[in-house]
Amino acid sequence: MDQTVDEPTFGRDGAIPRRRRPFLSPLNQRRWQNFKANRRGYWSLWLFLVLFVLSLFAEFIANDRPILVSYKGELLTPVFVNYPEEKFGGFLARTDYTDPFIQDEIKANGWMVWPPIRYSYRTVNKEVPTTAPSKPAFMFDSREELCARYAGGIDDPNCHWSNFNWLGTDDQARDVLARTIYGFRISVLFGLILASISSVIGIAAGAIQGY
């Protein structure tokens, strides 16, 4: 019985081209397909990854310092650099960008770009609508109630949606949403680092015992 044998194909230089190994082995490919079949688990993974990536940029999402400031023709990045207040005509070592004097000074000589949430994880809201802990902003009846403690009421420049506490505040008037974003990042990074260290120690201990 005649058998045909496939002859190897050669490249232009006469060498046999290497076959590319797949990124995942057949077993892992099957595992991945089984995981994708579980729609809840699959979309939960993507949701977790999106939230984790966003939390890595927490300083650009929730911060009591502007991302970018233009002052007297100079571009400043308070999100990275702690500028002294004397740069804006003050005298303190650290600039409080929520101070009306600083805001008016910058507005008169330039502009500011704020994060969507104007609170960091430790920022105390001095204009919280009620006694702390305050309820979420969407539970208030009107904008007037939310901005009652601002000097200008609803016409105050700081009566802005980014200054509202959308998930409320804790007992020290700190924004819950900002603290959740920063806390999520710390928790996930701590878990990943701990798992990595445990894996290295476990593999090393197993290798030593096996040897």
Side-chain angles (χ1 to χ4, degrees), residues 30-187:
R30 189 163 61 253
R31 288 171 176 168
W32 175 246
Q33 293 301 325
N34 291 336
F35 177 72
K36 287 179 66 177
N38 183 354
R39 307 305 294 175
R40 286 185 182 178
Y42 179 72
W43 288 110
S44 296
L45 172 64
W46 279 108
L47 179 61
F48 169 79
L49 291 176
V50 169
L51 292 176
F52 176 59
V53 171
L54 288 176
S55 71
L56 294 178
F57 302 93
E59 286 77 11
F60 295 90
I61 300 173
N63 208 328
D64 56 2
R65 293 182 291 178
I67 299 173
L68 190 65
V69 172
S70 175
Y71 182 69
K72 295 183 177 180
E74 183 182 2
L75 284 178
L76 309 174
T77 53
V79 71
F80 295 117
V81 182
N82 287 321
Y83 297 101
E85 197 178 73
E86 63 182 12
K87 191 170 188 67
F88 307 101
F91 55 89
L92 298 178
R94 182 180 180 273
T95 303
D96 181 8
Y97 295 93
T98 63
D99 187 343
F101 169 79
I102 298 297
Q103 292 183 351
D104 293 340
E105 175 67 18
I106 295 176
K107 187 177 180 180
N109 297 277
W111 44 263
M112 291 186 290
V113 177
W114 282 92
I117 303 169
R118 298 187 186 184
Y119 300 101
S120 183
Y121 64 93
R122 58 185 176 184
T123 307
V124 176
N125 184 4
K126 299 175 184 177
E127 285 81 24
V128 63
T130 61
T131 55
S134 177
K135 60 185 178 181
F138 59 84
M139 295 182 66
F140 285 87
D141 296 329
S142 63
R143 187 182 180 90
E144 287 80 5
E145 191 177 359
L146 279 168
C147 301
R149 294 199 178 183
Y150 287 106
I154 60 173
D155 297 323
D156 195 280
N158 286 315
C159 180
H160 191 268
W161 63 268
S162 59
N163 271 327
F164 299 156
N165 304 113
W166 291 104
L167 293 183
T169 68
D170 62 5
D171 58 346
Q172 299 182 37
R174 296 174 298 188
D175 188 71
V176 172
L177 180 56
R179 292 177 65 79
T180 300
I181 295 172
Y182 282 89
F184 179 80
R185 180 176 67 178
I186 292 175
S187 300

